[in-house]
Every structure is written in C-alpha cells, then in structure tokens.
Amino acid sequence: MKELTQKDIKQLKERYKNLYSIKSVNFSIWDEIARYCRIEKRFVEDRRHETAGYQLDSGLADPSTLLAINSSANNLYGILIGDGDFFNLTISEELKEVAGIDEDVIDEYLKRIAKKVMREINKPEANFKQAVLEHLKDQQTFGTSGIGTFVSNDYLAGRSNSIFEFLPFGVDNITIDEGRNGRIDTIFVDYNWRINKIIKSFCCEDGILNKEKFDKLPDKVKSSYKDKPNDRYDIQLAIVQNDFFQQGVEGKIGCRYIGVWYLKDESDYILDIEYYQDNPINIVRVDKVRGELYGRADGTKILSF
C-alpha cells in the first residue's frame, strides 16, 4: 500500500481550499442565524478569545430563540435517549438456525452485552450526552452537524477506563464533500491546539516522549515545545476514502477510510495516519437541496427569504 507523502498533503490542502470556498458562501446566513441561536458560533471574525459573557452581551440579538433551541434540544434528548437504555441487540432467525443454540440463551447473552456497551457509552468521560446535545442544537439551527465515535486515546494509553470518546462536529469546524451517491465521503476537521497537546497526542507512547518521532517534527514546533509551551498551532484531520480499499481484506487495505493528521502551515508535516473500517464521523443534513453540500434547518430557510 502506497505511503502518503508531502505531495499528497499539498493535494489534500488544495482540495480543502476548493471545498472551503464553496462552504464560505453560507457564512453570512450562518452568522445571522448564530446571532439568534448560537452566539458562540458566529462566523464574522475569530471569536475564540472572547468570554461567554462578552458574546452574550455584545452579539446576541434575541435571547428567546436561544432559550427555545436549548429547551428543544433537551426535550429531544429525553425522547431519543430517555434513561440511557436506548438500544438492544438481536440475532437474525437465519443465524439462530445455523448456530443451533437455545433462543433464550442467545437473548440473555445479547442483553448482557448490550448493557455492558451502554455502561461504556454513558460514562461521563465518553462525552456522549454533551455530543448529542450539541448535535441536536446544530441540527435545528444550521442544518448540518454530526457525532464522531472514536476509541479514546487516554484509554489506549491507560489513563482512562472509558473506551469511547464521542465528539460533536458542526459547520464551525468541518468542511465536507460528497460522493456520486450523495453520501458524505470527505471531511476536513480544523483544530487549534497548544503545542503540549500536539506532542502528547502524536509524539508520546505510554506517557513517555518518543524521541524519534519528536526529532522529525519541524524545527519551529520543537522550539515551541522547549521554550513556548503555550504556543498554539492549526492542525487538520482529513478523513478521505482509501483508494486501495478491498472488501473483506484484513489490515489497512480492508479499511474503507483513512484519517490524515497534518500541520496546516507551510511544512505540510504529517503528524499521524489512522485507518477506519467506516467513517468515524456521521454527518446529518436536515434538509438537503439538490446541488448543495450543506443542509438547511428551519432557521436557515426562514432567514433565506
């Protein structure tokens, strides 16, 4: 399987620029929606350093809509998730016949497995509730959002007993593209991380700095880690289809998607490459208009007229 190079990263960046220009057409309407519904997600300027109080005092046009969105999201969460026991596992009739196992035994086993999975999902460290609430709010306001399901890096490093990590994604931090079937097959996720988090995420193993990985970093990144630990860098995760994918094959070739982490600066440095059996971020578009990439919500449609 071909290894990715800096040339591949340049091509990914060019694709991102093209998709971002398409996305930017929506910024003015999304910003107007944010003034009424999600003030912390305005698109006019970089608002990362503003306090929540300043955002509310300076930008919120009408608090009633914001309160309605929050209340509606909480109600929908209650309807969808309830007390946290929202799914079960079953086995097909055909498989029951092939397995030749008592049906009561199978059902009892699947109930135990389902409860175990639910315990993992509902652990506070998994962030499931917060991710779902954020998704529900964005669905009602911007019409495009999703939830990412990942194996927790802290769990793999032995720092947490929570297997899952659920993360919310919306128009403020993703740029998307779709394939011929209309399904989203490309997602660019933007992050702005402190250098300590970058080193911990990509250059440490079991909490110990991997000198070989660290030495390969661009000089300015290494210098920041040593002298300016609070420096921040823009990085990007590009989730794209695996061109070498083969159905039913194990290993990297058997993964339908790959995730490429890289620095967004001029170095094009590849931080890490991940392989996924399926797209780990499930994006939902409320009302998809033919020819458009992003969905529309009721707020979007109202403000368009």
Side-chain angles (χ1 to χ4, degrees), residues 32 71 136 200 215 219 272 277:
E32 187 66 14
S71 177
L136 292 173
K200 179 181 176 182
D215 288 343
D219 290 338
D272 196 14
Q277 294 290 337

Side-chain angles (χ1 to χ4, degrees), residues 173-189:
N173 68 343
I174 60 169
T175 302
I176 60 175
D177 196 10
E178 60 184 24
R180 293 178 61 184
N181 60 2
R183 291 186 58 191
I184 295 173
D185 64 358
T186 301
I187 303 174
F188 290 92
V189 187

Side-chain angles (χ1 to χ4, degrees), residues 86-244:
F86 55 87
F87 83 96
N88 54 38
L89 299 173
T90 59
I91 189 171
S92 68
E93 294 298 327
E94 294 81 3
L95 193 53
K96 284 181 183 178
E97 293 179 5
V98 173
I101 302 176
D102 183 82
E103 185 173 335
D104 292 336
V105 174
I106 288 286
D107 289 342
E108 185 61 32
Y109 172 75
L110 292 177
K111 285 179 181 178
R112 291 201 306 270
I113 295 299
K115 287 183 179 179
K116 186 174 182 180
V117 173
M118 286 307 309
R119 282 198 299 270
E120 291 296 329
I121 290 175
N122 288 319
K123 285 181 178 178
E125 298 93 331
N127 197 47
F128 179 72
K129 181 176 182 179
Q130 185 59 40
V132 174
L133 285 173
E134 184 77 5
H135 169 60
L136 292 173
K137 292 175 185 177
D138 277 355
Q139 283 289 285
Q140 297 176 78
T141 51
F142 302 113
T144 301
S145 63
I147 299 174
T149 306
F150 302 91
V151 176
S152 169
N153 287 328
D154 284 339
Y155 175 81
L156 295 176
R159 295 189 296 267
S160 172
N161 64 353
S162 179
I163 297 173
F164 295 117
E165 182 178 30
F166 297 96
L167 299 173
F169 295 93
V171 293
D172 56 309
N173 68 343
I174 60 169
T175 302
I176 60 175
D177 196 10
E178 60 184 24
R180 293 178 61 184
N181 60 2
R183 291 186 58 191
I184 295 173
D185 64 358
T186 301
I187 303 174
F188 290 92
V189 187
D190 291 308
Y191 295 96
N192 181 264
W193 285 0
R194 283 191 174 88
I195 184 64
N196 281 342
K197 186 173 182 178
I198 294 175
I199 300 301
K200 179 181 176 182
S201 299
F202 302 112
C203 297
C204 288
E205 296 177 357
D206 298 326
I208 301 174
L209 182 67
N210 183 314
K211 191 174 185 303
E212 182 180 353
K213 290 183 178 180
F214 180 79
D215 288 343
K216 291 179 180 179
L217 291 171
D219 290 338
K220 71 173 184 177
V221 177
K222 291 186 288 188
S223 177
S224 292
Y225 181 66
K226 295 175 181 177
D227 303 322
K228 300 177 180 179
N230 290 320
D231 276 2
R232 304 184 75 98
Y233 286 85
D234 289 323
I235 65 175
Q236 198 162 62
L237 167 63
I239 298 176
V240 296
Q241 288 187 314
N242 183 0
D243 293 335
F244 300 93

Side-chain angles (χ1 to χ4, degrees), residues 6-135:
Q6 288 186 327
K7 180 180 179 181
D8 296 314
I9 300 302
K10 289 184 182 297
Q11 291 175 346
L12 279 176
K13 285 185 173 182
E14 286 300 317
R15 186 177 183 187
Y16 168 74
K17 287 179 182 179
N18 176 261
L19 293 172
Y20 188 83
S21 67
I22 296 173
K23 173 184 174 180
S24 64
V25 174
N26 300 291
F27 284 176
S28 60
I29 187 68
W30 286 343
D31 184 66
E32 187 66 14
I33 292 170
R35 290 184 62 242
Y36 290 88
C37 305
R38 304 300 304 279
I39 191 61
E40 73 278 12
K41 294 194 174 186
R42 292 197 63 188
F43 287 80
V44 170
E45 54 189 288
D46 184 357
R47 308 177 69 86
R48 286 181 303 214
H49 306 294
E50 293 181 358
T51 64
Y54 178 85
Q55 289 173 351
L56 290 172
D57 292 340
S58 65
L60 187 62
D62 181 0
S64 60
T65 310
L66 174 64
L67 294 173
I69 290 293
N70 289 338
S71 177
S72 176
N74 283 307
N75 289 335
L76 283 171
Y77 182 88
I79 294 171
L80 294 171
I81 308 302
D83 59 1
D85 188 14
F86 55 87
F87 83 96
N88 54 38
L89 299 173
T90 59
I91 189 171
S92 68
E93 294 298 327
E94 294 81 3
L95 193 53
K96 284 181 183 178
E97 293 179 5
V98 173
I101 302 176
D102 183 82
E103 185 173 335
D104 292 336
V105 174
I106 288 286
D107 289 342
E108 185 61 32
Y109 172 75
L110 292 177
K111 285 179 181 178
R112 291 201 306 270
I113 295 299
K115 287 183 179 179
K116 186 174 182 180
V117 173
M118 286 307 309
R119 282 198 299 270
E120 291 296 329
I121 290 175
N122 288 319
K123 285 181 178 178
E125 298 93 331
N127 197 47
F128 179 72
K129 181 176 182 179
Q130 185 59 40
V132 174
L133 285 173
E134 184 77 5
H135 169 60

